[in-house]
Amino acid sequence: MGAADPVPPPDLDDALVREVLEEYGELTRRHLRDVLPRGDPASYLYDLLGEYPKRGGKLMRPSLCLATARAFGASPEKAIASAVSIELLHNALLIHDDIEDASDERRGSPTLHAQYGMPLALNAGDALSLLCLRPLKSNYTTLGPSLALRIFEETERTAWETAEGQALELGWRRDNRADLDDEDYLVMVLKKTCWLATIHPMRVGALIGARHAAPLDPLIRLGFFFGAAFQIQDDLLNLQGGAAYGKETNGDLLEGKRTLMVIHALREAQAEPRRRLLRYLGLPRPEREDHETEWISSLLTRTGSLEHARQVAKGLAGAALYEFEQIFGHLDDSRDLRFIRAMITWAQSRAH
Amino acid sequence: MGAADPVPPPDLDDALVREVLEEYGELTRRHLRDVLPRGDPASYLYDLLGEYPKRGGKLMRPSLCLATARAFGASPEKAIASAVSIELLHNALLIHDDIEDASDERRGSPTLHAQYGMPLALNAGDALSLLCLRPLKSNYTTLGPSLALRIFEETERTAWETAEGQALELGWRRDNRADLDDEDYLVMVLKKTCWLATIHPMRVGALIGARHAAPLDPLIRLGFFFGAAFQIQDDLLNLQGGAAYGKETNGDLLEGKRTLMVIHALREAQAEPRRRLLRYLGLPRPEREDHETEWISSLLTRTGSLEHARQVAKGLAGAALYEFEQIFGHLDDSRDLRFIRAMITWAQSRAH
């Protein structure tokens, strides 16, 4: 799309995002169901594997993979196995994240460990992350050994980046770190969120669509700006809560997470409220009282931290749109290209 | 070895086991150190990855793999990458097992979650299980793509069997199951222990040594008898404890595990002690009192459960020796063959 093309109004963008997420999401869910094994022990393992996938989710990751592959000229059949693998890995990591964060809710229901007990949930997370390798095997026949091996290695790298990012977030919390700045946050989010949410789906899609010929490094930049905008909006929505969000309101505060808003408030608040915020973040979760959580939440507004985060997310989305034009601008216009572009705007403006 | 061959006295067998475990263990440790990555975040991730490997362990699994490969004619260089992968997977699973079991000690020191906190330990287990795939990549050049892919699939199957076995053990405990018999126990141990401890190392070794030509199914039977004898002896040693054991004395009782002894006692005890045992097993761990643990431990002796377990282990080791002759009897005698044979006897007679 050149600079002279009319930019579609946002409501049309939102409708496109909804439409494609629904179509590719349904395709992914159908194939995912076929990959989920049945067997014994059902109530101790196999029932658990399907629980999070069954609850829905936006299926943003597999949809981005399918759309990128298609934008580069591949049919969805070539990319669906990789898309399913991405969604399985995402669900596996959610199970372990929820244990690590001691979260209560996921997709509007109790977390897996709340439902089945921590030990069985942890074990199911291990099995599900193993299962994500299975669909990748069919790539050997549909895409050939070289591309299949490459996608396998991309998956391994992504899981590794995610583990590094998760380690940062968990370590900062354990040590109640107060010495972090926006750059620390963005490095953490690049690893914890962006690799799996945006970079990996688009890289794998590009590999399948352009068969090694697409430039993959720029997709790290695009995915970083895009994914970070998505994560900041996610953190902002967490402070709002609401039924559509599917997780506890203020869950991030209750879990002591270092979001961009918290880091900003630690930087901007006066000495006394800063001490109170840091004390709150360092408490064991059960000792965080509701009225104190409310007070922290209002502090984040007073220090301008919410507004700061909104501005950073907007800036990141803008940078992502610029990168998008550099990478995809020369391709023929298509619904898939318009979807990816619309997703970038949606990521930092969405209401859930 | 034919039936007429003199069977070496047990102390010579023990010396051979020690000698080969030391030699192959050192080889594995040296290569494992090269695979363990360094990087940031060190204190939140990379330091944790090396912690369990650094503490030692018997390195039985990689040694069995190297010995089997060599017995079939391969050099250790061909098998070392797979041996390292096996040891990494074992260490990764130990981290998660220790969290699931709420264990306090591993290899004579605090468990990883006791040392670094549960969230970082869980995440490090994820990273370590990912790392076990890396050495397998070098198999593509040293063994060729077909064998490399096959070993990768064997690894996947083994991890899957382990997850099923772990699910059984954890589920039985969560539901405080009293309706189990010896066969249930043996199926659970086949999956939880034998696949990774004996079946997989020998199958991979045979694949490398005989390049697809060795019969792999009989190795499941051999590995089952051998590994189950090893696990029962492990459970018996847990009741004895002691510094060389490296875990808490009576840790299995404190964790409510369904060992062969516990299952036997539930079957053999009179109504009143049976009720008391079941009540004990159903308590949350912190509510299990020391004097009650002692009483349960002595009950297991009074019901003949220890003796029963010893007999079953002996029978299994005997069956394993029979299978060993069927599978390996036609090969030329070698130190590696004698080592595997000696390991079978050692598995159910070892003192730690």
Short mmCIF file of all heavy atoms in Angstrom, two decimals, chain A residues 53 103 157 189 216 320 323 336 342:
data_model
loop_
_atom_site.label_atom_id
_atom_site.label_comp_id
_atom_site.label_asym_id
_atom_site.label_seq_id
_atom_site.Cartn_x
_atom_site.Cartn_y
_atom_site.Cartn_z
N PRO A 53 -7.49 -24.57 25.62
CA PRO A 53 -7.92 -24.38 24.23
C PRO A 53 -9.45 -24.34 24.10
O PRO A 53 -10.00 -23.54 23.34
CB PRO A 53 -7.35 -25.61 23.51
CG PRO A 53 -6.14 -25.98 24.30
CD PRO A 53 -6.51 -25.67 25.73
N SER A 103 -2.11 -17.07 39.66
CA SER A 103 -3.33 -16.43 39.15
C SER A 103 -4.55 -17.29 39.46
O SER A 103 -4.45 -18.51 39.52
CB SER A 103 -3.23 -16.23 37.64
OG SER A 103 -2.12 -15.47 37.29
N ARG A 157 13.86 -21.38 19.45
CA ARG A 157 14.37 -20.06 19.83
C ARG A 157 13.29 -19.25 20.55
O ARG A 157 13.55 -18.57 21.54
CB ARG A 157 14.85 -19.29 18.59
CG ARG A 157 15.16 -17.86 18.96
CD ARG A 157 15.97 -17.08 18.00
NE ARG A 157 16.25 -15.76 18.58
CZ ARG A 157 16.80 -14.77 17.93
NH1 ARG A 157 17.15 -14.93 16.67
NH2 ARG A 157 17.00 -13.60 18.52
N VAL A 189 9.60 -7.37 27.83
CA VAL A 189 8.40 -7.65 27.04
C VAL A 189 8.76 -8.21 25.65
O VAL A 189 8.05 -9.07 25.13
CB VAL A 189 7.54 -6.37 26.93
CG1 VAL A 189 6.53 -6.48 25.80
CG2 VAL A 189 6.82 -6.13 28.25
N LEU A 216 13.87 -11.79 7.39
CA LEU A 216 13.29 -12.14 8.69
C LEU A 216 13.69 -11.19 9.81
O LEU A 216 12.94 -11.00 10.77
CB LEU A 216 13.68 -13.58 9.06
CG LEU A 216 13.10 -14.67 8.15
CD1 LEU A 216 13.51 -16.04 8.65
CD2 LEU A 216 11.58 -14.56 8.11
N ALA A 320 5.44 0.55 14.60
CA ALA A 320 5.11 -0.75 13.98
C ALA A 320 4.49 -0.53 12.60
O ALA A 320 4.80 -1.27 11.65
CB ALA A 320 4.15 -1.53 14.88
N GLU A 323 7.27 0.18 10.18
CA GLU A 323 7.99 -1.05 9.83
C GLU A 323 7.15 -1.93 8.91
O GLU A 323 7.67 -2.58 7.99
CB GLU A 323 8.36 -1.85 11.09
CG GLU A 323 9.40 -1.20 11.98
CD GLU A 323 10.79 -1.12 11.33
OE1 GLU A 323 11.07 -1.92 10.42
OE2 GLU A 323 11.58 -0.26 11.75
N ASP A 336 -5.41 -10.24 3.78
CA ASP A 336 -4.48 -10.65 4.84
C ASP A 336 -3.54 -9.51 5.23
O ASP A 336 -3.28 -9.29 6.40
CB ASP A 336 -3.70 -11.89 4.40
CG ASP A 336 -4.59 -13.11 4.32
OD1 ASP A 336 -4.95 -13.64 5.39
OD2 ASP A 336 -4.97 -13.51 3.20
N ALA A 342 -4.33 -3.79 10.34
CA ALA A 342 -5.41 -3.42 11.26
C ALA A 342 -5.15 -3.97 12.67
O ALA A 342 -5.50 -3.33 13.68
CB ALA A 342 -6.75 -3.94 10.74
#
